PDB file of all heavy atoms in Angstrom:
ATOM      1  N   VAL U 371      57.469 131.500 121.960  1.00  0.00           N
ATOM      2  CA  VAL U 371      58.799 130.895 121.835  1.00  0.00           C
ATOM      3  C   VAL U 371      59.875 131.945 122.411  1.00  0.00           C
ATOM      4  O   VAL U 371      60.867 131.619 122.947  1.00  0.00           O
ATOM      5  CB  VAL U 371      59.224 130.403 120.523  1.00  0.00           C
ATOM      6  CG1 VAL U 371      60.603 129.796 120.548  1.00  0.00           C
ATOM      7  CG2 VAL U 371      58.206 129.305 120.144  1.00  0.00           C
ATOM      8  N   GLY U 372      59.580 133.209 122.104  1.00  0.00           N
ATOM      9  CA  GLY U 372      60.492 134.275 122.493  1.00  0.00           C
ATOM     10  C   GLY U 372      61.617 134.502 121.554  1.00  0.00           C
ATOM     11  O   GLY U 372      61.823 133.840 120.545  1.00  0.00           O
ATOM     12  N   LYS U 373      62.344 135.644 121.852  1.00  0.00           N
ATOM     13  CA  LYS U 373      63.421 135.999 121.063  1.00  0.00           C
ATOM     14  C   LYS U 373      64.526 134.896 120.976  1.00  0.00           C
ATOM     15  O   LYS U 373      64.808 134.241 121.989  1.00  0.00           O
ATOM     16  CB  LYS U 373      64.103 137.224 121.537  1.00  0.00           C
ATOM     17  CG  LYS U 373      63.199 138.471 121.378  1.00  0.00           C
ATOM     18  CD  LYS U 373      63.979 139.787 121.709  1.00  0.00           C
ATOM     19  CE  LYS U 373      63.063 141.019 121.490  1.00  0.00           C
ATOM     20  NZ  LYS U 373      63.797 142.196 121.856  1.00  0.00           N
ATOM     21  N   PRO U 374      65.153 134.681 119.921  1.00  0.00           N
ATOM     22  CA  PRO U 374      66.180 133.645 119.753  1.00  0.00           C
ATOM     23  C   PRO U 374      67.530 134.034 120.555  1.00  0.00           C
ATOM     24  O   PRO U 374      67.816 135.314 120.549  1.00  0.00           O
ATOM     25  CB  PRO U 374      66.500 133.355 118.280  1.00  0.00           C
ATOM     26  CG  PRO U 374      66.141 134.794 117.777  1.00  0.00           C
ATOM     27  CD  PRO U 374      64.961 135.284 118.574  1.00  0.00           C
ATOM     28  N   THR U 375      68.117 133.090 121.156  1.00  0.00           N
ATOM     29  CA  THR U 375      69.403 133.419 121.724  1.00  0.00           C
ATOM     30  C   THR U 375      70.376 133.926 120.734  1.00  0.00           C
ATOM     31  O   THR U 375      70.398 133.563 119.573  1.00  0.00           O
ATOM     32  CB  THR U 375      70.009 132.098 122.358  1.00  0.00           C
ATOM     33  OG1 THR U 375      69.033 131.646 123.358  1.00  0.00           O
ATOM     34  CG2 THR U 375      71.384 132.331 123.017  1.00  0.00           C
ATOM     35  N   ASN U 376      71.105 134.939 121.149  1.00  0.00           N
ATOM     36  CA  ASN U 376      72.138 135.696 120.346  1.00  0.00           C
ATOM     37  C   ASN U 376      71.516 136.571 119.332  1.00  0.00           C
ATOM     38  O   ASN U 376      72.273 137.205 118.477  1.00  0.00           O
ATOM     39  CB  ASN U 376      73.046 134.703 119.555  1.00  0.00           C
ATOM     40  CG  ASN U 376      73.890 133.809 120.414  1.00  0.00           C
ATOM     41  OD1 ASN U 376      74.163 134.207 121.509  1.00  0.00           O
ATOM     42  ND2 ASN U 376      73.988 132.605 119.979  1.00  0.00           N
ATOM     43  N   TYR U 377      70.210 136.980 119.561  1.00  0.00           N
ATOM     44  CA  TYR U 377      69.576 137.869 118.536  1.00  0.00           C
ATOM     45  C   TYR U 377      70.309 139.237 118.528  1.00  0.00           C
ATOM     46  O   TYR U 377      70.292 140.004 117.514  1.00  0.00           O
ATOM     47  CB  TYR U 377      68.042 138.124 118.877  1.00  0.00           C
ATOM     48  CG  TYR U 377      67.831 139.126 120.040  1.00  0.00           C
ATOM     49  CD1 TYR U 377      67.665 140.504 119.793  1.00  0.00           C
ATOM     50  CD2 TYR U 377      67.783 138.620 121.327  1.00  0.00           C
ATOM     51  CE1 TYR U 377      67.480 141.284 120.893  1.00  0.00           C
ATOM     52  CE2 TYR U 377      67.544 139.490 122.433  1.00  0.00           C
ATOM     53  CZ  TYR U 377      67.409 140.856 122.187  1.00  0.00           C
ATOM     54  OH  TYR U 377      67.312 141.700 123.285  1.00  0.00           O
ATOM     55  N   GLN U 378      71.054 139.596 119.595  1.00  0.00           N
ATOM     56  CA  GLN U 378      71.644 140.973 119.687  1.00  0.00           C
ATOM     57  C   GLN U 378      72.888 141.017 118.756  1.00  0.00           C
ATOM     58  O   GLN U 378      73.409 142.170 118.539  1.00  0.00           O
ATOM     59  CB  GLN U 378      72.100 141.205 121.065  1.00  0.00           C
ATOM     60  CG  GLN U 378      71.056 141.158 122.129  1.00  0.00           C
ATOM     61  CD  GLN U 378      71.018 139.856 122.900  1.00  0.00           C
ATOM     62  OE1 GLN U 378      71.190 138.842 122.283  1.00  0.00           O
ATOM     63  NE2 GLN U 378      70.726 139.846 124.206  1.00  0.00           N
ATOM     64  N   ILE U 379      73.391 139.868 118.264  1.00  0.00           N
ATOM     65  CA  ILE U 379      74.637 140.043 117.537  1.00  0.00           C
ATOM     66  C   ILE U 379      74.528 140.228 115.993  1.00  0.00           C
ATOM     67  O   ILE U 379      75.604 140.455 115.297  1.00  0.00           O
ATOM     68  CB  ILE U 379      75.459 138.777 117.673  1.00  0.00           C
ATOM     69  CG1 ILE U 379      74.788 137.572 116.994  1.00  0.00           C
ATOM     70  CG2 ILE U 379      75.734 138.444 119.186  1.00  0.00           C
ATOM     71  CD1 ILE U 379      75.598 136.219 117.081  1.00  0.00           C
ATOM     72  N   THR U 380      73.313 140.439 115.517  1.00  0.00           N
ATOM     73  CA  THR U 380      73.134 140.547 114.074  1.00  0.00           C
ATOM     74  C   THR U 380      72.749 141.993 113.732  1.00  0.00           C
ATOM     75  O   THR U 380      71.986 142.646 114.488  1.00  0.00           O
ATOM     76  CB  THR U 380      72.120 139.578 113.519  1.00  0.00           C
ATOM     77  OG1 THR U 380      71.987 139.714 112.040  1.00  0.00           O
ATOM     78  CG2 THR U 380      70.700 139.733 114.168  1.00  0.00           C
ATOM     79  N   SER U 381      73.263 142.434 112.605  1.00  0.00           N
ATOM     80  CA  SER U 381      73.040 143.853 112.149  1.00  0.00           C
ATOM     81  C   SER U 381      71.891 143.936 111.183  1.00  0.00           C
ATOM     82  O   SER U 381      71.587 143.007 110.516  1.00  0.00           O
ATOM     83  CB  SER U 381      74.302 144.350 111.487  1.00  0.00           C
ATOM     84  OG  SER U 381      75.449 144.314 112.326  1.00  0.00           O
ATOM     85  N   ASP U 382      71.103 145.081 111.185  1.00  0.00           N
ATOM     86  CA  ASP U 382      70.116 145.371 110.279  1.00  0.00           C
ATOM     87  C   ASP U 382      70.599 145.861 108.967  1.00  0.00           C
ATOM     88  O   ASP U 382      70.751 147.005 108.818  1.00  0.00           O
ATOM     89  CB  ASP U 382      69.107 146.299 110.886  1.00  0.00           C
ATOM     90  CG  ASP U 382      68.433 145.832 112.167  1.00  0.00           C
ATOM     91  OD1 ASP U 382      68.475 144.515 112.359  1.00  0.00           O
ATOM     92  OD2 ASP U 382      67.961 146.553 112.932  1.00  0.00           O
ATOM     93  N   ASN U 383      70.905 144.942 108.021  1.00  0.00           N
ATOM     94  CA  ASN U 383      71.414 145.242 106.798  1.00  0.00           C
ATOM     95  C   ASN U 383      70.779 144.510 105.618  1.00  0.00           C
ATOM     96  O   ASN U 383      70.265 143.472 105.791  1.00  0.00           O
ATOM     97  CB  ASN U 383      72.930 144.995 106.674  1.00  0.00           C
ATOM     98  CG  ASN U 383      73.803 145.963 107.525  1.00  0.00           C
ATOM     99  OD1 ASN U 383      73.537 147.151 107.405  1.00  0.00           O
ATOM    100  ND2 ASN U 383      74.780 145.472 108.184  1.00  0.00           N
ATOM    101  N   VAL U 384      70.904 145.132 104.449  1.00  0.00           N
ATOM    102  CA  VAL U 384      70.787 144.304 103.188  1.00  0.00           C
ATOM    103  C   VAL U 384      72.160 144.006 102.845  1.00  0.00           C
ATOM    104  O   VAL U 384      73.030 144.858 102.544  1.00  0.00           O
ATOM    105  CB  VAL U 384      70.052 145.199 102.147  1.00  0.00           C
ATOM    106  CG1 VAL U 384      70.047 144.461 100.706  1.00  0.00           C
ATOM    107  CG2 VAL U 384      68.613 145.524 102.550  1.00  0.00           C
ATOM    108  N   TRP U 385      72.298 142.666 102.582  1.00  0.00           N
ATOM    109  CA  TRP U 385      73.647 142.186 102.021  1.00  0.00           C
ATOM    110  C   TRP U 385      73.483 141.836 100.513  1.00  0.00           C
ATOM    111  O   TRP U 385      72.519 141.327 100.132  1.00  0.00           O
ATOM    112  CB  TRP U 385      74.032 140.875 102.775  1.00  0.00           C
ATOM    113  CG  TRP U 385      74.025 141.025 104.192  1.00  0.00           C
ATOM    114  CD1 TRP U 385      73.088 140.736 105.145  1.00  0.00           C
ATOM    115  CD2 TRP U 385      74.988 141.815 105.126  1.00  0.00           C
ATOM    116  NE1 TRP U 385      73.397 141.023 106.528  1.00  0.00           N
ATOM    117  CE2 TRP U 385      74.590 141.631 106.394  1.00  0.00           C
ATOM    118  CE3 TRP U 385      76.259 142.346 104.803  1.00  0.00           C
ATOM    119  CZ2 TRP U 385      75.351 142.201 107.507  1.00  0.00           C
ATOM    120  CZ3 TRP U 385      76.897 142.878 105.858  1.00  0.00           C
ATOM    121  CH2 TRP U 385      76.488 142.864 107.211  1.00  0.00           C
ATOM    122  N   ALA U 386      74.411 142.221  99.754  1.00  0.00           N
ATOM    123  CA  ALA U 386      74.361 141.925  98.366  1.00  0.00           C
ATOM    124  C   ALA U 386      75.715 141.440  97.793  1.00  0.00           C
ATOM    125  O   ALA U 386      76.738 141.824  98.267  1.00  0.00           O
ATOM    126  CB  ALA U 386      73.957 143.211  97.609  1.00  0.00           C
ATOM    127  N   VAL U 387      75.610 140.547  96.808  1.00  0.00           N
ATOM    128  CA  VAL U 387      76.824 140.105  96.144  1.00  0.00           C
ATOM    129  C   VAL U 387      76.511 140.283  94.641  1.00  0.00           C
ATOM    130  O   VAL U 387      75.463 139.923  94.195  1.00  0.00           O
ATOM    131  CB  VAL U 387      77.200 138.587  96.417  1.00  0.00           C
ATOM    132  CG1 VAL U 387      78.312 138.116  95.586  1.00  0.00           C
ATOM    133  CG2 VAL U 387      77.491 138.369  97.926  1.00  0.00           C
ATOM    134  N   VAL U 388      77.458 140.932  93.971  1.00  0.00           N
ATOM    135  CA  VAL U 388      77.407 141.236  92.597  1.00  0.00           C
ATOM    136  C   VAL U 388      78.520 140.395  91.857  1.00  0.00           C
ATOM    137  O   VAL U 388      79.658 140.369  92.195  1.00  0.00           O
ATOM    138  CB  VAL U 388      77.675 142.672  92.297  1.00  0.00           C
ATOM    139  CG1 VAL U 388      77.545 142.999  90.789  1.00  0.00           C
ATOM    140  CG2 VAL U 388      76.782 143.537  93.094  1.00  0.00           C
ATOM    141  N   LEU U 389      77.984 139.747  90.754  1.00  0.00           N
ATOM    142  CA  LEU U 389      78.945 139.137  89.839  1.00  0.00           C
ATOM    143  C   LEU U 389      78.808 139.929  88.457  1.00  0.00           C
ATOM    144  O   LEU U 389      77.710 139.832  87.823  1.00  0.00           O
ATOM    145  CB  LEU U 389      78.563 137.695  89.549  1.00  0.00           C
ATOM    146  CG  LEU U 389      78.659 136.627  90.719  1.00  0.00           C
ATOM    147  CD1 LEU U 389      78.111 135.265  90.363  1.00  0.00           C
ATOM    148  CD2 LEU U 389      80.021 136.538  91.210  1.00  0.00           C
ATOM    149  N   ALA U 390      79.938 140.641  88.161  1.00  0.00           N
ATOM    150  CA  ALA U 390      79.879 141.532  87.079  1.00  0.00           C
ATOM    151  C   ALA U 390      80.740 141.148  85.935  1.00  0.00           C
ATOM    152  O   ALA U 390      81.933 140.650  86.168  1.00  0.00           O
ATOM    153  CB  ALA U 390      80.284 142.952  87.471  1.00  0.00           C
ATOM    154  N   THR U 391      80.308 141.146  84.750  1.00  0.00           N
ATOM    155  CA  THR U 391      81.136 140.814  83.530  1.00  0.00           C
ATOM    156  C   THR U 391      82.205 141.761  83.296  1.00  0.00           C
ATOM    157  O   THR U 391      83.248 141.433  82.663  1.00  0.00           O
ATOM    158  CB  THR U 391      80.275 140.549  82.283  1.00  0.00           C
ATOM    159  OG1 THR U 391      79.566 141.766  82.039  1.00  0.00           O
ATOM    160  CG2 THR U 391      79.243 139.447  82.502  1.00  0.00           C
ATOM    161  N   SER U 392      81.945 142.976  83.644  1.00  0.00           N
ATOM    162  CA  SER U 392      82.864 144.128  83.476  1.00  0.00           C
ATOM    163  C   SER U 392      82.469 145.268  84.442  1.00  0.00           C
ATOM    164  O   SER U 392      81.449 145.180  85.026  1.00  0.00           O
ATOM    165  CB  SER U 392      82.881 144.618  82.023  1.00  0.00           C
ATOM    166  OG  SER U 392      81.574 145.145  81.693  1.00  0.00           O
ATOM    167  N   PRO U 393      83.362 146.271  84.665  1.00  0.00           N
ATOM    168  CA  PRO U 393      82.991 147.358  85.522  1.00  0.00           C
ATOM    169  C   PRO U 393      81.573 147.913  85.290  1.00  0.00           C
ATOM    170  O   PRO U 393      81.186 147.979  84.138  1.00  0.00           O
ATOM    171  CB  PRO U 393      84.060 148.364  85.393  1.00  0.00           C
ATOM    172  CG  PRO U 393      85.323 147.623  84.828  1.00  0.00           C
ATOM    173  CD  PRO U 393      84.664 146.557  83.989  1.00  0.00           C
ATOM    174  N   ALA U 394      80.937 148.195  86.468  1.00  0.00           N
ATOM    175  CA  ALA U 394      79.476 148.634  86.334  1.00  0.00           C
ATOM    176  C   ALA U 394      79.226 149.553  87.567  1.00  0.00           C
ATOM    177  O   ALA U 394      79.983 149.648  88.513  1.00  0.00           O
ATOM    178  CB  ALA U 394      78.521 147.432  86.267  1.00  0.00           C
ATOM    179  N   THR U 395      78.038 150.064  87.571  1.00  0.00           N
ATOM    180  CA  THR U 395      77.540 150.866  88.656  1.00  0.00           C
ATOM    181  C   THR U 395      76.334 150.211  89.279  1.00  0.00           C
ATOM    182  O   THR U 395      75.344 149.691  88.594  1.00  0.00           O
ATOM    183  CB  THR U 395      77.141 152.269  88.209  1.00  0.00           C
ATOM    184  OG1 THR U 395      78.250 152.956  87.681  1.00  0.00           O
ATOM    185  CG2 THR U 395      76.546 153.106  89.474  1.00  0.00           C
ATOM    186  N   VAL U 396      76.355 149.929  90.584  1.00  0.00           N
ATOM    187  CA  VAL U 396      75.295 149.346  91.302  1.00  0.00           C
ATOM    188  C   VAL U 396      74.710 150.244  92.330  1.00  0.00           C
ATOM    189  O   VAL U 396      75.443 150.989  93.055  1.00  0.00           O
ATOM    190  CB  VAL U 396      75.821 148.087  92.067  1.00  0.00           C
ATOM    191  CG1 VAL U 396      74.719 147.385  92.934  1.00  0.00           C
ATOM    192  CG2 VAL U 396      76.283 147.014  91.095  1.00  0.00           C
ATOM    193  N   VAL U 397      73.431 150.350  92.353  1.00  0.00           N
ATOM    194  CA  VAL U 397      72.627 151.194  93.301  1.00  0.00           C
ATOM    195  C   VAL U 397      71.783 150.210  94.151  1.00  0.00           C
ATOM    196  O   VAL U 397      70.929 149.491  93.617  1.00  0.00           O
ATOM    197  CB  VAL U 397      71.783 152.241  92.614  1.00  0.00           C
ATOM    198  CG1 VAL U 397      71.084 153.068  93.738  1.00  0.00           C
ATOM    199  CG2 VAL U 397      72.632 153.157  91.708  1.00  0.00           C
ATOM    200  N   LEU U 398      72.016 150.283  95.515  1.00  0.00           N
ATOM    201  CA  LEU U 398      71.141 149.546  96.316  1.00  0.00           C
ATOM    202  C   LEU U 398      70.218 150.530  97.149  1.00  0.00           C
ATOM    203  O   LEU U 398      70.735 151.470  97.792  1.00  0.00           O
ATOM    204  CB  LEU U 398      72.008 148.728  97.440  1.00  0.00           C
ATOM    205  CG  LEU U 398      72.954 147.618  96.784  1.00  0.00           C
ATOM    206  CD1 LEU U 398      73.744 147.051  97.902  1.00  0.00           C
ATOM    207  CD2 LEU U 398      72.177 146.704  95.962  1.00  0.00           C
ATOM    208  N   SER U 399      68.950 150.314  97.176  1.00  0.00           N
ATOM    209  CA  SER U 399      67.992 151.166  97.732  1.00  0.00           C
ATOM    210  C   SER U 399      67.117 150.411  98.796  1.00  0.00           C
ATOM    211  O   SER U 399      66.711 149.117  98.525  1.00  0.00           O
ATOM    212  CB  SER U 399      67.038 151.723  96.759  1.00  0.00           C
ATOM    213  OG  SER U 399      67.737 152.335  95.710  1.00  0.00           O
ATOM    214  N   THR U 400      66.796 150.991  99.901  1.00  0.00           N
ATOM    215  CA  THR U 400      65.800 150.345 100.878  1.00  0.00           C
ATOM    216  C   THR U 400      64.544 151.255 100.925  1.00  0.00           C
ATOM    217  O   THR U 400      63.611 150.692 101.582  1.00  0.00           O
ATOM    218  CB  THR U 400      66.576 150.229 102.275  1.00  0.00           C
ATOM    219  OG1 THR U 400      66.956 151.487 102.697  1.00  0.00           O
ATOM    220  CG2 THR U 400      67.669 149.327 102.217  1.00  0.00           C
ATOM    221  N   SER U 401      64.573 152.386 100.380  1.00  0.00           N
ATOM    222  CA  SER U 401      63.306 153.192 100.307  1.00  0.00           C
ATOM    223  C   SER U 401      63.652 154.314  99.236  1.00  0.00           C
ATOM    224  O   SER U 401      64.785 154.366  98.617  1.00  0.00           O
ATOM    225  CB  SER U 401      63.089 153.837 101.614  1.00  0.00           C
ATOM    226  OG  SER U 401      64.085 154.947 101.867  1.00  0.00           O
ATOM    227  N   SER U 402      62.581 155.099  98.947  1.00  0.00           N
ATOM    228  CA  SER U 402      62.729 156.165  97.933  1.00  0.00           C
ATOM    229  C   SER U 402      63.753 157.186  98.319  1.00  0.00           C
ATOM    230  O   SER U 402      64.400 157.907  97.493  1.00  0.00           O
ATOM    231  CB  SER U 402      61.396 156.750  97.712  1.00  0.00           C
ATOM    232  OG  SER U 402      60.921 157.344  98.911  1.00  0.00           O
TER     233      SER U 402
END
Side-chain angles (χ1 to χ4, degrees):
V371 179
K373 290 185 178 183
T375 299
N376 299 327
Y377 78 90
Q378 302 97 323
I379 67 176
T380 183
S381 303
D382 295 342
N383 283 321
V384 172
W385 307 101
V387 175
V388 181
L389 297 175
T391 57
S392 61
T395 300
V396 172
V397 178
L398 299 180
S399 309
T400 56
S401 73
S402 57

